[in-house]
């Protein structure tokens, strides 16, 4: 579906209209008109408007980096693992603070109390993918004997949590300011702290 020109038109139209009018303020008729397609064409690509919103959110994050089906190469050394985590943290951290992505996340937050499934679609389409990809990388490192016998999900939370918190504090909860740069998270310190925890043999509970 990614190369379908009609999908690209619908996605671009939805991006524009949702930012201008909010999710509730955009009808499928208006969306189809903006995209230059019929309502029948729209519904042949997406089951509903919520699916369009999820697709727009997904494509603001580089799916090449967040594809849960991507083949994660097993790191051969701690240096390989550090570099992989640094690349992931840099890419994801930078994309999470995109202005358009943040504005659409605000729409999701606003709509979730009224339409809980909108929040669930977002959770499945973006955060879950990040957890799966991070988990796959950490599992590969664990299987290679580079890190301890850790709880991979807990370690993934340790990795992703600060990136999300940085976005929450510095972007999401701050009034939009056109042109204002957001200081990125210190990726090197973040990754080194995680590695210090998951490669340590001293953090396990005593029997």
């Amino acid at each position: 579906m990614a190369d379908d020109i009609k999908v690209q038109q619908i996605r671009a139209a939805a991006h524009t209209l949702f930012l201008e009018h909010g999710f509730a303020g955009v009808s499928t008729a208006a969306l189809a008109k903006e995209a230059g397609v019929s309502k029948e064409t729209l519904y042949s690509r997406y089951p509903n408007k919520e699916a369009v919103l999820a697709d727009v959110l997904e494509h603001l994050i580089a799916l090449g980096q967040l594809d849960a089906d991507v083949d994660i190469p097993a790191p051969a050394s701690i240096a390989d693992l550090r570099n992989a985590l640094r690349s992931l943290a840099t890419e994801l951290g930078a994309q999470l603070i995109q202005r358009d992505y943040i504005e659409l996340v605000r729409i999701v937050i606003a709509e979730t109390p009224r339409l809980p499934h909108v929040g669930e679609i977002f959770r499945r389409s973006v955060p879950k993918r990040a957890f799966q990809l991070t988990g796959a990388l950490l599992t590969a490192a664990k299987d290679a004997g580079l890190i301890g016998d850790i709880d991979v999900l807990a370690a993934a939370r340790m990795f992703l949590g600060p990136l999300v918190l940085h976005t929450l504090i510095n972007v999401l909860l701050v009034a939009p300011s056109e042109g204002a740069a957001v200081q990125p998270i210190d990726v090197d310190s973040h990754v080194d702290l995680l590695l210090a925890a998951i490669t340590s043999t001293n953090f396990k509970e005593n029997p």
Side-chain angles (χ1 to χ4, degrees), residues 89 92-93 96-97 131 154-170 183-187 189-191 193-194:
L92 181 58
L96 283 174
I97 61 176
F131 271 108
R157 290 192 186 109
M158 289 176 63
F159 177 70
L160 295 170
L163 299 176
V164 175
L165 183 61
H166 178 79
T167 301
L168 178 69
I169 293 174
N170 294 288
Q183 188 68 25
I185 194 170
D186 184 342
V187 169
S189 294
H190 173 52
V191 169
L193 282 170
L194 176 70

Side-chain angles (χ1 to χ4, degrees), residues 4 9 65 135:
D4 186 329
Q9 290 172 213
Q65 294 293 331

Side-chain angles (χ1 to χ4, degrees), residues 78-99:
I78 289 295
D80 286 348
L81 177 58
R82 177 182 286 109
N83 288 336
L85 289 169
R86 286 186 75 260
S87 295
L88 182 56
T90 299
E91 182 72 19
L92 181 58
Q95 295 187 33
L96 283 174
I97 61 176
Q98 289 181 85
R99 182 173 300 278

Side-chain angles (χ1 to χ4, degrees), residues 85-148:
L85 289 169
R86 286 186 75 260
S87 295
L88 182 56
T90 299
E91 182 72 19
L92 181 58
Q95 295 187 33
L96 283 174
I97 61 176
Q98 289 181 85
R99 182 173 300 278
D100 284 1
Y101 179 76
I102 291 299
E103 292 307 313
L104 287 166
V105 169
R106 287 190 172 110
I107 290 172
V108 171
I109 293 171
E111 294 295 334
T112 294
R114 187 174 67 86
L115 299 170
H117 55 290
V118 172
E120 177 60 21
I121 289 170
F122 168 69
R123 187 191 70 80
R124 289 199 310 267
S125 65
V126 180
K128 188 175 180 180
R129 286 174 182 250
F131 271 108
Q132 289 173 330
L133 183 56
T134 304
L137 176 60
L138 293 173
T139 296
K142 182 178 176 181
D143 292 344
L146 299 176
I147 60 179

